[in-house]
Amino acid sequence: MLKATIKEVAAEAEVSTATVSRVLNNSLKVSEEARRRVNAAIAKLNYEPSAIARSLKQDRTFMIGVIVPDITNPYFMEISKGIEDTVGQSGFQLMFCSSDENTDKESRLLQLLNEKRVDAVVVATAGGNGSKIAGMSRSGLPVVLIDRTLENVDGLSELDLIAEDNAAGAYMLAKRLLEDGHTAIGVVNGPSWVSTGRERYEGVLRALNEFGIEQPPLVYNGDFTVEGGVRAVRRFWQSNRKPTAIVSLNNRMTFGVLLELIRKGQHIPTDVAIASFGEVEAGQLLKNPKLYYIDQQPYDMGKRTGELLLSRMDKQNQNADPHLEIFSHQIKCIP
Amino acid sequence: MLKATIKEVAAEAEVSTATVSRVLNNSLKVSEEARRRVNAAIAKLNYEPSAIARSLKQDRTFMIGVIVPDITNPYFMEISKGIEDTVGQSGFQLMFCSSDENTDKESRLLQLLNEKRVDAVVVATAGGNGSKIAGMSRSGLPVVLIDRTLENVDGLSELDLIAEDNAAGAYMLAKRLLEDGHTAIGVVNGPSWVSTGRERYEGVLRALNEFGIEQPPLVYNGDFTVEGGVRAVRRFWQSNRKPTAIVSLNNRMTFGVLLELIRKGQHIPTDVAIASFGEVEAGQLLKNPKLYYIDQQPYDMGKRTGELLLSRMDKQNQNADPHLEIFSHQIKCIP
């Protein structure tokens, strides 16, 4: 069956195509009689207005672009689920892309989303695109940063950000290990070009400093992957001062740390104590690991991101001051 | 700064707007001289053609809709990553939605994707929308089913499907436990309204039948969640015949089974042996669990889905016979 056109609908209803368009866009400037005739013609001809054509008129695509480093990372997808559950009720759809922690790929994706005329952009940046992101926001496109700030502090003040209190969380974890009497602490760090990596490391250093630990800690710069945690333990065990405790600054790396320690026959926590930024559900299979972790709330972060997006897309709120929302943590323990 | 219009570009280049449009769409019917003048005008005026306006001309949106039961399930997101890595190179973007295993929500999402004029749809169906999905395919929209077939066998033959050999995989798992001498086998089943749940259960029954086990197995109908696995073990332990082995028909449920068995102080595999449809990485933290599993290949399934989509969107291949691709498994063991 050929699709009916707007011209055929207008002819059937004996009105102009402009009137049909006004009915489709719920304009108030249409008589009740004309509206009735147009709706009857639409029903009779089984006319389906193209959502694309409508979005051109309304200047809305009802699409929100979401760029995350990795769509297979449950943390980012929990955030995304929170966003979807919130904005979906208002008819918005999410368009996802993975930057693969790659600055150039992220730059191309930003360009593409701009071309697609998305109504807003959410980005957990891989870093290096600060001026591009700030520029998109300045041109009037609502942009919300999640999890990670821009490397450029100047740009930061302009943009909405929903993130975690990374420094405070990492500080609490390191402090707990120090309070338990550990002095040889290994740090499994994230990449230094991502704000979460830098901030968490700063938190650890602050705790070490407060406890008067002068020797620089054993640090392995990982990449937020399981394999990174595995490699960190191998490196620590090759060194001539093995740590008695490890603070791991993301949950994927913590899983790798646990895996490699178990393979090496190490007992947790008697041989090595563990503190993790982010819960590791697998840790529940260990017997009394006394594993410290801070509980992240990605789904709630996503809900707040969704609410913020809806507010920003309302033109009245576009020029409001940047919204900064930092989720704090509590320290927990798998006993 | 006001955005330049196509009219201003045409005036600057001293050509018609139709010529500008032809240059934008890479039409061959433009002289080199005109193309040069148009590109110079675009650069001078900083003109950005709207991707939406272009897609109306090309009859392409370069968007592919993907509906999965849950975007936080790494299995589906690995498939999605494979799709993204394949179609992204050709300029297609993915629009994701979660059906939350809900037939009505899936139906609304299908309608919405249709309205957005996506170029193709990928769906891991929650069930119950067989005729709607088949109808969209019949109307000319490329549709690829992943992981799950339609409940309606008539519709199946029309549609492309990339899935796993669920019955054979589950058969292998149950057979391995039977070969090890177990006769009291608990089955943690998926939901019966999803094809993967039904097919896997059939595979288990076939193995039991071959080994002459006449007593019906202990079955718990779970919902593919961790909590479902936890509840299954509780139910089995309340019954008057505890299983000596459990076959769990998805990896999330297997994690729940392990968790609850550990909490109950059961040793794996001496108290209870485990076989899992899908790898459970947490199992690696157990000491010699002799945990059988079949290895899924979601990323490769996604790559093949992406290749199939690109082929189907080429109009020449739209009427080719439905493509059916079933991934088979090998049984593996965490020793």
Side-chain angles (χ1 to χ4, degrees):
Chain A
M1 188 180 76
L2 278 174
K3 283 189 177 132
T5 66
I6 192 166
K7 281 187 189 172
E8 287 161 353
V9 172
E12 173 73 26
E14 299 180 357
V15 298
S16 68
T17 53
T19 300
V20 177
S21 176
R22 277 196 287 271
V23 172
L24 292 171
N25 290 316
N26 292 317
S27 163
L28 294 174
K29 301 180 199 163
V30 188
S31 71
E32 268 316 300
E33 169 62 16
R35 191 184 303 277
R36 197 193 53 71
R37 287 215 306 272
V38 168
N39 283 329
I42 286 172
K44 181 172 172 190
L45 299 175
N46 202 11
Y47 173 66
E48 283 184 31
S50 152
I52 294 172
R54 261 185 313 183
S55 75
L56 272 179
K57 302 266 179 194
Q58 293 187 1
D59 203 18
R60 272 275 161 96
T61 56
F62 288 96
M63 285 191 303
I64 295 170
V66 179
I67 303 178
V68 297
D70 182 1
I71 58 170
T72 66
N73 182 332
Y75 174 77
F76 290 115
M77 296 322 285
E78 285 283 347
I79 292 180
S80 301
K81 186 97 179 67
I83 299 174
E84 188 194 35
D85 286 350
T86 311
V87 302
Q89 291 163 6
S90 300
F92 289 90
Q93 296 281 109
L94 302 187
M95 199 153 79
F96 283 99
C97 339
S98 303
S99 67
D100 299 334
E101 300 280 10
N102 179 320
T103 300
D104 292 336
K105 189 173 177 200
E106 180 175 287
S107 173
R108 286 197 301 277
L109 291 169
L110 287 164
Q111 180 62 33
L112 201 70
L113 292 177
N114 207 19
E115 282 186 19
K116 295 268 185 209
R117 297 281 189 264
V118 292
D119 294 329
V121 167
V122 178
V123 58
T125 181
N129 288 308
S131 58
K132 183 159 200 159
I133 294 169
M136 285 169 75
S137 168
R138 259 180 243 126
S139 77
L141 182 72
V143 175
V144 177
L145 301 175
I146 49 166
D147 187 48
R148 302 169 173 194
T149 63
L150 296 182
E151 69 284 3
N152 174 349
V153 183
D154 285 354
L156 170 61
S157 57
E158 298 175 24
L159 293 177
D160 293 332
L161 170 68
I162 293 193
E164 297 181 58
D165 197 344
N166 292 295
Y171 167 81
M172 284 195 292
L173 289 170
K175 186 169 173 235
R176 188 62 63 93
L177 294 174
L178 291 159
E179 284 170 348
D180 284 355
H182 294 282
T183 53
I185 293 179
V187 184
V188 188
N189 197 11
S192 62
W193 58 88
V194 175
S195 65
T196 47
R198 287 194 305 274
E199 292 166 11
R200 292 175 194 175
Y201 186 56
E202 280 162 23
V204 172
L205 290 183
R206 182 156 64 88
L208 292 171
N209 196 38
E210 269 187 27
F211 276 74
I213 309 286
E214 293 185 355
Q215 202 179 17
L218 265 176
V219 179
Y220 180 84
N221 286 309
D223 51 2
F224 285 155
T225 66
V226 173
E227 197 45 43
V230 169
R231 283 193 301 260
V233 170
R234 286 188 189 148
R235 184 73 60 83
F236 293 161
W237 257 246
Q238 283 163 3
S239 78
N240 48 17
R241 45 177 191 125
K242 271 185 240 170
T244 61
I246 291 175
V247 56
S248 164
L249 296 176
N250 111 318
N251 53 357
R252 299 304 294 152
M253 296 194 298
T254 305
F255 181 70
V257 166
L258 294 176
L259 207 53
E260 187 62 16
L261 287 174
I262 298 289
R263 281 187 202 137
K264 287 194 183 310
Q266 297 289 309
H267 187 261
I268 298 162
T270 45
D271 294 326
V272 191
I274 305 286
S276 170
F277 202 102
E279 188 175 2
V280 180
E281 67 173 15
Q284 297 172 64
L285 296 184
L286 299 174
K287 214 164 191 172
N288 308 324
K290 204 185 169 193
L291 195 157
Y292 298 120
Y293 66 95
I294 53 168
D295 201 17
Q296 297 174 292
Q297 301 157 61
Y299 183 77
D300 291 336
M301 288 170 67
K303 295 275 271 187
R304 290 293 301 129
T305 304
E307 289 162 12
L308 186 55
L309 285 166
L310 291 176
S311 154
R312 286 293 177 192
M313 287 186 294
D314 180 343
K315 294 218 189 298
Q316 288 190 332
N317 301 323
Q318 269 182 3
N319 295 319
D321 283 341
H323 181 86
L324 186 67
E325 188 161 338
I326 303 296
F327 280 66
S328 58
H329 307 97
Q330 290 198 310
I331 199 160
K332 297 192 177 180
C333 184
I334 303 178
Chain B
M1 190 180 78
L2 278 174
K3 284 189 176 131
T5 66
I6 192 166
K7 280 187 189 171
E8 288 161 354
V9 173
E12 174 73 25
E14 299 179 357
V15 298
S16 68
T17 54
T19 300
V20 177
S21 176
R22 277 196 287 270
V23 171
L24 292 172
N25 290 315
N26 293 316
S27 161
L28 294 173
K29 300 178 198 163
V30 189
S31 71
E32 269 316 300
E33 169 61 14
R35 191 184 303 277
R36 198 194 52 72
R37 286 215 307 274
V38 168
N39 283 329
I42 286 172
K44 182 174 172 189
L45 300 175
N46 204 11
Y47 172 68
E48 283 184 30
S50 153
I52 294 172
R54 262 185 312 182
S55 75
L56 272 180
K57 301 265 181 195
Q58 293 188 2
D59 202 21
R60 271 276 162 96
T61 57
F62 287 97
M63 285 190 302
I64 295 170
V66 180
I67 304 178
V68 296
D70 181 1
I71 58 171
T72 67
N73 182 333
Y75 175 77
F76 290 115
M77 296 321 285
E78 285 283 347
I79 293 179
S80 301
K81 186 98 179 67
I83 299 174
E84 188 194 35
D85 285 351
T86 311
V87 302
Q89 291 163 5
S90 300
F92 289 91
Q93 296 281 108
L94 303 186
M95 199 152 80
F96 283 99
C97 338
S98 304
S99 66
D100 299 333
E101 299 281 8
N102 179 320
T103 300
D104 292 337
K105 189 173 178 200
E106 180 175 287
S107 173
R108 286 197 301 278
L109 291 170
L110 287 164
Q111 180 63 33
L112 201 71
L113 291 178
N114 207 19
E115 281 186 19
K116 294 268 185 208
R117 296 281 189 266
V118 292
D119 294 331
V121 168
V122 177
V123 58
T125 181
N129 288 308
S131 57
K132 183 159 199 159
I133 294 169
M136 284 168 76
S137 169
R138 259 180 242 126
S139 78
L141 182 72
V143 176
V144 176
L145 302 175
I146 50 166
D147 187 47
R148 303 169 173 193
T149 64
L150 296 182
E151 69 284 3
N152 172 349
V153 182
D154 285 354
L156 169 62
S157 57
E158 298 175 23
L159 292 177
D160 293 333
L161 170 68
I162 293 194
E164 299 183 57
D165 197 343
N166 292 294
Y171 166 81
M172 283 194 292
L173 289 170
K175 184 169 174 235
R176 188 60 64 93
L177 294 174
L178 291 160
E179 285 169 348
D180 284 354
H182 293 283
T183 53
I185 293 179
V187 184
V188 188
N189 198 10
S192 60
W193 58 89
V194 175
S195 66
T196 47
R198 286 194 304 275
E199 292 167 11
R200 290 175 196 175
Y201 187 55
E202 281 161 21
V204 172
L205 289 183
R206 182 154 66 88
L208 291 172
N209 195 37
E210 269 186 30
F211 276 74
I213 308 286
E214 292 186 356
Q215 203 178 15
L218 266 176
V219 179
Y220 179 85
N221 286 309
D223 53 1
F224 286 155
T225 65
V226 174
E227 198 44 45
V230 169
R231 283 193 300 260
V233 170
R234 287 188 188 145
R235 183 74 59 84
F236 293 162
W237 258 246
Q238 282 163 3
S239 78
N240 49 16
R241 47 179 190 122
K242 271 185 240 170
T244 61
I246 291 176
V247 56
S248 163
L249 296 177
N250 111 318
N251 53 357
R252 299 304 293 150
M253 297 195 298
T254 306
F255 181 68
V257 166
L258 295 177
L259 209 53
E260 187 61 17
L261 287 173
I262 299 288
R263 280 187 202 136
K264 288 195 182 310
Q266 298 289 310
H267 187 262
I268 298 161
T270 45
D271 294 326
V272 192
I274 304 286
S276 170
F277 204 103
E279 188 174 3
V280 180
E281 67 172 15
Q284 298 172 63
L285 296 184
L286 298 174
K287 213 164 190 169
N288 308 324
K290 204 185 167 192
L291 195 157
Y292 297 120
Y293 66 94
I294 53 169
D295 200 17
Q296 297 175 292
Q297 300 157 61
Y299 183 77
D300 290 336
M301 288 169 65
K303 294 275 272 186
R304 290 294 300 131
T305 304
E307 288 163 12
L308 186 55
L309 285 166
L310 291 176
S311 154
R312 286 292 177 192
M313 287 185 295
D314 180 342
K315 293 219 189 297
Q316 288 190 332
N317 300 323
Q318 267 182 4
N319 296 317
D321 284 340
H323 181 85
L324 185 68
E325 188 161 340
I326 303 297
F327 280 67
S328 59
H329 308 96
Q330 290 197 310
I331 198 161
K332 297 193 176 180
C333 185
I334 303 177

